[in-house]
């Protein structure tokens, strides 16, 4: 018996062998029938503090190989919820968007175009960043569809700083200005790096917010009609989570939320509506701890979002 080629696909599903793809799923070949497409957007030129999230997709892909153990057919048993998730779902990895340094307009056009091609294939775009500025060109691909936009974040991301509204602090502002969403909900707001004016301004404009403290209380008796029925796009800034479980991010803020909070809210949204796309952003491997816990958390969030989007279909 000859040993298998080192270039063969990761059939053995060992997390530490072969070429890393998201959770060991196959690469996307055009024309292939797919349910969700994982896409990296290694862009961090919108960062206003500590850069490095351009290496997020690579770190998350690598960490996600932890979930390749169970094999493509057998995945996944969610022991906590005692149910199978993503069973039989066709997930692929499309690699990364090609970024050209210092070409904002060009990069954002390519991002929108790539996400459009995923939507045209009838699949859910599963995006990882990159910094939070990538969310606007991603959501722009959904223009014309009546979407509800949910933003998990420490910050309300409505910065209108004089020099630019294209930073990672501005995606919600751009989505509002371009009227890309029927409704906007921001979950997990906290800390001392939001301006009080921004929060009152967006609430005046009809944006719903749940602060981190409010969310903990809300989850003890969730209001079933808080989320409307319809199509949802979900954006997750990893700084939503407490820095103890997500140290690898540019703007850590104490008092954050835990995975079960995220998962529980997501479950409620998925019961009310249909999740048609999502992103996980702001994971910075240079600031992660030695166990890469933030990269693993981001990979797990992607799987949780994929399940919320696909398991109802
Ligand atoms: Mn953000």
């Amino acid at each position: 018996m000859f040993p298998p080629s080192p270039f063969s696909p990761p059939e053995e599903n060992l997390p530490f062998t072969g070429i890393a793809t998201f959770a060991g799923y196959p690469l996307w070949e055009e024309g292939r029938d797919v349910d969700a497409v994982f896409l990296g957007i290694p862009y961090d030129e919108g960062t206003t503090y500590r850069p490095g999230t351009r290496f997020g997709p690579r770190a998350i892909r690598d960490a996600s190989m932890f979930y390749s153990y169970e094999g493509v057919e057998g995945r996944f048993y969610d022991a906590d919820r005692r149910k199978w998730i993503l069973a039989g779902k066709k997930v692929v990895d499309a690699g990364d968007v090609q970024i050209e340094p210092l070409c904002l307009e060009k990069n954002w056009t390519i991002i929108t175009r790539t996400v459009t091609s995923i939507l045209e294939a009838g699949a859910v775009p599963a995006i990882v960043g990159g910094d939070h500025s990538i969310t606007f060109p991603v959501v722009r691909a959904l223009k014309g569809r009546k979407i509800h936009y949910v933003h998990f974040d420490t910050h309300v991301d409505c910065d209108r700083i004089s020099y630019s509204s294209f930073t990672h602090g501005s995606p919600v502002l751009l989505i509002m200005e371009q009227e890309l969403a029927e409704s906007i909900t921001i979950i997990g707001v906290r800390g001392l790096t939001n301006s009080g004016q921004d929060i009152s301004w967006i609430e005046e404009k009809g944006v719903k917010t749940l602060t981190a403290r409010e969310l903990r209380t809300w989850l003890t008796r969730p209001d079933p009609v808080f989320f409307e029925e319809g199509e949802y796009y979900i954006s997750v800034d990893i700084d939503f989570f407490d820095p103890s479980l997500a140290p690898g991010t540019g703007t850590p803020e104490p008092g954050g939320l835990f995975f079960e909070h995220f998962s529980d809210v997501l479950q409620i949204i998925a019961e009310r509506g249909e999740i048609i796309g999502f992103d996980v952003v702001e994971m910075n491997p240079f600031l992660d701890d030695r166990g890469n816990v933030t990269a693993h958390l981001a990979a797990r969030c992607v799987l949780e979002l994929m399940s919320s989007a696909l398991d109802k279909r």
Side-chain angles (χ1 to χ4, degrees):
M1 276 289 277
F2 290 105
S5 157
F7 303 110
S8 60
E11 281 164 19
E12 297 297 322
N13 299 307
L14 290 172
F16 47 88
T17 64
I19 294 161
T21 59
F22 179 72
Y25 281 113
L27 289 172
W28 192 21
E29 292 155 30
E30 241 164 300
R32 196 185 179 132
D33 179 29
V34 285
D35 296 314
V37 177
F38 178 90
L39 176 73
I41 304 183
Y43 177 87
D44 64 6
E45 290 174 18
T47 307
T48 54
Y49 185 40
R50 304 188 290 181
T53 59
R54 68 180 63 182
F55 290 93
R58 186 155 289 188
I60 293 165
R61 201 175 263 121
D62 198 22
S64 76
M65 286 297 284
F66 174 48
Y67 296 105
S68 67
Y69 265 127
E70 294 307 319
V72 174
E73 299 309 320
R75 54 190 47 180
F76 293 95
Y77 186 69
D78 181 343
D80 201 3
R81 294 200 196 279
R82 295 182 189 276
K83 63 170 191 183
W84 289 92
I85 66 164
L86 294 171
K89 301 299 177 191
K90 295 182 271 312
V91 178
V92 293
D93 187 331
D96 300 327
V97 170
Q98 296 298 315
I99 295 299
E100 272 191 48
L102 299 176
C103 297
L104 182 138
E105 196 112 337
K106 195 171 173 185
N107 289 325
W108 284 19
T109 302
I110 294 168
I111 292 168
T112 306
R113 202 185 298 146
T114 310
V115 175
T116 301
S117 69
I118 294 171
L119 292 165
E120 282 170 356
V124 170
I127 310 294
V128 298
D131 72 44
H132 219 156
S133 67
I134 64 140
T135 297
F136 170 68
V138 170
V139 171
R140 199 164 59 172
L142 292 160
K143 200 178 172 116
R145 287 172 80 159
K146 292 184 171 172
I147 57 151
H148 299 292
Y149 174 78
V150 180
H151 187 85
F152 288 86
D153 203 320
T154 293
H155 306 98
V156 296
D157 284 359
C158 283
D159 280 1
R160 269 189 295 190
I161 41 183
S162 52
Y163 47 91
S164 168
S165 56
F166 304 124
T167 75
H168 70 160
S170 323
V172 173
L173 178 73
L174 296 179
I175 288 166
M176 285 168 77
E177 279 180 352
Q178 305 271 316
E179 297 177 2
L180 295 179
E182 285 282 290
S183 78
I184 297 177
T185 308
I186 304 182
I187 299 175
V189 180
R190 66 186 189 276
L192 306 180
T193 49
N194 281 287
S195 90
Q197 284 97 316
D198 277 0
I199 295 176
S200 27
W201 181 74
I202 57 161
E203 286 180 338
E204 266 166 43
K205 293 274 180 188
V207 172
K208 286 192 284 190
T209 55
L210 278 178
T211 69
R213 277 170 203 274
E214 286 164 359
L215 178 64
R216 287 190 196 95
T217 311
W218 188 83
L219 279 172
T220 60
R221 279 185 73 185
D223 172 8
V225 294
F226 182 82
F227 293 104
E228 293 170 55
E229 289 174 348
E231 293 189 323
Y232 277 81
Y233 182 88
I234 313 280
S235 180
V236 182
D237 188 321
I238 208 80
D239 76 12
F240 164 85
F241 295 100
D242 192 74
S244 60
L245 73 158
T249 196
T251 54
E253 186 69 54
L257 284 311
F258 288 84
F259 185 74
E260 67 198 72
H261 299 118
F262 169 69
S263 175
D264 287 353
V265 178
L266 210 54
Q267 193 94 343
I268 293 163
I269 295 171
E271 274 163 23
R272 292 285 291 167
E274 189 192 348
I275 295 169
I276 59 163
F278 61 84
D279 63 61
V280 178
V281 295
E282 295 289 341
M283 191 271 131
N284 185 336
F286 297 124
L287 303 169
D288 210 354
D289 72 352
R290 286 184 42 144
N292 307 327
V293 290
T294 318
H296 282 81
L297 173 68
R300 183 67 178 81
C301 287
V302 171
L303 288 169
E304 195 76 355
L305 284 152
M306 269 181 189
S307 166
S308 306
L310 300 183
D311 283 332
K312 254 174 75 177
R313 283 184 162 192

